[in-house]
Amino acid sequence: KRQVDEKSFKITVEATPEKASEINETFANYTERFENLMERFDILNSSGLINETNLTSVKSMLDEISSLIKQINSSINKGDYVTAHSLMAALESKINQAEEAIQELETQESIVLGTHIAGTWFWIMLVVIILVIGAFAYYTLYMQKPGYEPKYGYRPPGSKEPPGILKKISSAAGNVT
């Protein structure tokens, strides 16, 4: 029998400075996108217009992204750019999914908010129209001066004849016949 000596060794793949710089820049970009997503999520969450179930699913996506960012940051701090690079593809995919989900929630919010505002304007306009009609009715029924008749205009109280010029016109019309 032949005896085989086995030796184990570890191969370490080191990133070039250019690749490390590229990974750091990409990671910074992803971190910034994540922070933007968190801000948008907080706005949606505080609006109170979105279904809690939808918010919970997006929140779990954001928690996964946060965990992945921590893993990548830890790998970069250790100088393990190979692991960091391999995790970046998953991070990009999850960020894209979260962006789409938040975009859907923002669309839902704008629809709900638009419906809410449209409903509010309807009621405001209805109240204004009712007030205008009420004011007109009140004016025509109760705000006439004593002695005013729509057919003849103003007559002094107690007078049965039309005033001044109307009297002359009616008497002239009476003479014609």
Side-chain angles (χ1 to χ4, degrees):
K1 278 187 170 180
R2 226 167 70 170
Q3 187 176 13
V4 177
D5 287 336
E6 292 183 17
K7 293 185 179 182
S8 63
F9 57 93
K10 185 176 181 182
I11 296 178
T12 307
V13 178
E14 299 273 329
T16 63
E18 294 83 20
K19 188 66 175 177
S21 176
E22 178 186 327
I23 290 172
N24 285 329
E25 287 176 23
T26 305
F27 179 66
N29 181 24
Y30 288 151
T31 304
E32 185 177 321
R33 285 174 61 191
F34 173 70
E35 289 170 359
N36 183 16
L37 286 173
M38 287 301 293
E39 288 174 11
R40 289 168 57 192
F41 177 79
D42 289 339
I43 291 169
L44 288 170
N45 194 16
S46 66
S47 75
L49 298 173
I50 303 296
N51 184 338
E52 191 66 33
T53 306
N54 295 341
L55 286 174
T56 304
S57 73
V58 172
K59 178 66 175 157
S60 68
M61 281 184 196
L62 294 174
D63 289 341
E64 289 175 23
I65 293 170
S66 177
S67 173
L68 202 51
I69 284 176
K70 288 176 185 172
Q71 289 176 4
I72 293 171
N73 192 34
S74 174
S75 296
I76 289 173
N77 289 339
K78 292 178 187 174
D80 186 5
Y81 286 97
V82 174
T83 303
H85 182 69
S86 66
L87 292 172
M88 292 266 225
L91 178 63
E92 180 180 19
S93 172
K94 288 188 183 294
I95 286 178
N96 289 338
Q97 288 174 353
E99 283 176 338
E100 290 174 11
I102 287 179
Q103 183 64 40
E104 283 183 33
L105 291 180
E106 288 172 337
T107 302
Q108 286 177 9
E109 180 193 37
S110 67
I111 289 170
V112 169
L113 185 61
T115 305
H116 178 69
I117 289 173
T120 302
W121 279 109
F122 170 77
W123 290 109
I124 290 172
M125 293 305 296
L126 184 65
V127 167
V128 167
I129 289 170
I130 289 172
L131 288 175
V132 167
I133 291 171
F136 179 74
Y138 180 78
Y139 176 77
T140 56
L141 295 175
Y142 298 109
M143 297 300 289
Q144 296 177 358
K145 294 181 181 179
Y148 177 80
E149 293 181 26
K151 184 175 180 182
Y152 299 112
Y154 179 74
R155 284 194 216 182
S159 172
K160 299 279 184 189
E161 297 179 22
I165 191 145
L166 288 177
K167 184 177 181 181
K168 290 179 186 177
I169 293 173
S170 65
S171 64
N175 293 337
V176 172
T177 54

